[in-house]
């Protein structure tokens, strides 16, 4: 991360990393978007936005999704594969 990146650039990187992690972990568990949304208690439309790196989500939603994916919330914010 560059020391002078704008908040918008940092936010976009975090959203992109979150989306990638959620989608890859969902697929690894062989869950559909609808199934994960149900398990996490979020709308499917929101899950789609998250996977596309377009959503600003509440911490509560992050925790619910992480639990449904059987990981710690911090793991979903990692850009590591």
């Amino acid at each position: 991360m560059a020391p002078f990146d704008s908040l918008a650039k940092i936010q976009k990187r975090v959203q992109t990393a979150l989306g990638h992690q959620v989608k890859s972990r969902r697929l690894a568990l062989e869950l559909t978007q609808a199934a994960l949304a149900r398990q996490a208690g979020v709308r499917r439309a929101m899950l789609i936005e998250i996977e596309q790196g377009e959503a600003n989500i509440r911490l509560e939603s992050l925790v619910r999704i992480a639990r449904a994916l059987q990981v710690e919330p911090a793991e979903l914010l990692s850009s590591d594969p």
Side-chain angles (χ1 to χ4, degrees):
M1 179 176 349
F4 299 107
D5 278 351
S6 70
L7 180 58
K9 285 183 179 182
I10 294 168
Q11 182 176 335
K12 185 60 182 169
R13 275 199 301 267
V14 171
Q15 288 172 319
T16 300
L18 174 63
H20 174 76
Q21 289 291 350
V22 168
K23 184 174 183 175
S24 65
R25 291 170 190 273
R26 175 180 63 78
L27 294 174
L29 291 172
E30 299 181 355
L31 293 171
T32 63
Q33 288 173 330
L36 176 57
R38 260 192 317 276
Q39 288 180 22
V42 299
R43 294 177 299 109
R44 181 174 174 264
M46 173 60 107
L47 187 59
I48 290 169
E49 289 179 15
I50 292 167
E51 288 188 357
Q52 292 174 343
E54 299 295 326
N56 289 318
I57 69 170
R58 296 179 313 172
L59 183 57
E60 178 184 353
S61 298
L62 176 65
V63 171
R64 287 177 174 204
I65 292 167
R67 284 184 179 165
L69 292 171
Q70 304 167 14
V71 298
E72 291 295 321
E75 293 179 58
L76 296 179
L77 299 175
S78 170
S79 59
D80 295 334

